[in-house]
Amino acid sequence: MENKAISLEQLFGTEGLKIEQLIVNAISTAERINHIENFLLSRLVSLETIDRIIKSTIDTILTANGQLSVAELSKQININRRQLERKFSSAIGLSPKQLSKTIRLQNTLKLLINKKFTSLTALAYEGDFYDQAHFIKDFREFTGHTPKEFYGNNLKMSSLFYGTD
């Protein structure tokens, strides 16, 4: 179903019609975004969308700042690793490992934006990366830049994203 528009009603039934009306009647873009975020967040936390295992996995990943391996996650949650990966990927669209990497990098970007580091090497260790090479590899994978390129050229844009000045 590539390049095909699907109505919100087809995706979400009567709830889709309700959110569509809220979006159409919104006064500003900020209000539209707020309606969409609230709608999607309510879908995310509903048990029919994500079962307890997925919610528990997400909570564990967030609590550990993305530092647990998939094997450790499956052991803590008491589920087979392959089953966890399948359920998680199908419900979230990412593997537990991808989400962990995203969270770890996001936490490190917050340190970068808030300038809570003395060097980029220190930033890598502060962000709980194994070493600087690991940090640079993950950083480039997500941002398309090395940390130095990002820090020099894109910090202002990231500050806007995080709402800091």
Side-chain angles (χ1 to χ4, degrees):
M1 259 206 276
E2 289 183 32
N3 299 321
K4 184 177 180 185
I6 299 173
S7 73
L8 290 172
E9 182 181 15
Q10 284 179 291
L11 285 173
F12 301 111
T14 56
E15 294 296 312
L17 284 175
K18 289 177 187 174
I19 189 63
E20 185 176 307
Q21 285 305 308
L22 287 172
I23 293 167
V24 169
N25 295 327
I27 296 169
S28 66
T29 301
E31 188 180 339
R32 287 182 191 93
I33 291 170
N34 192 29
H35 287 311
I36 293 167
E37 283 180 343
N38 289 335
F39 175 75
L40 292 175
L41 285 171
S42 72
R43 305 271 316 162
L44 182 65
V45 295
S46 74
L47 288 178
E48 64 191 53
T49 304
I50 298 178
D51 66 12
R52 287 187 189 108
I53 292 171
I54 302 306
K55 180 150 179 29
S56 176
T57 304
I58 292 170
D59 290 342
T60 304
I61 290 171
L62 288 169
T63 301
N65 288 323
Q67 293 304 307
L68 295 175
S69 69
V70 177
E72 291 168 325
L73 281 170
S74 65
K75 187 177 180 180
Q76 278 193 17
I77 295 164
N78 200 23
I79 185 174
N80 174 286
R81 177 186 173 148
R82 296 186 100 190
Q83 186 180 8
L84 172 65
E85 288 176 335
R86 269 195 310 273
K87 280 179 161 273
F88 199 91
S89 292
S90 118
I92 304 299
L94 297 171
S95 70
K97 183 176 180 176
Q98 289 169 316
L99 181 61
S100 293
K101 285 170 70 172
T102 303
I103 289 167
R104 185 173 51 239
L105 186 61
Q106 183 178 24
N107 288 333
T108 306
L109 287 175
K110 288 177 186 175
L111 294 172
L112 175 67
I113 289 165
N114 293 318
K115 299 181 177 146
K116 294 187 177 181
F117 63 97
T118 54
S119 69
L120 290 175
T121 303
L123 177 66
Y125 291 118
E126 184 67 28
D128 292 324
F129 285 89
Y130 179 71
D131 59 18
Q132 187 176 358
H134 180 213
F135 170 60
I136 290 170
K137 179 183 168 281
D138 282 4
F139 199 100
R140 179 175 270 161
E141 179 184 334
F142 282 96
T143 67
H145 300 282
T146 66
K148 284 186 180 181
E149 291 168 345
F150 183 87
Y151 184 72
N153 300 327
N154 295 326
L155 184 59
K156 206 168 199 71
M157 185 172 69
S158 294
S159 295
L160 291 173
F161 178 77
Y162 284 106
T164 61
D165 290 321

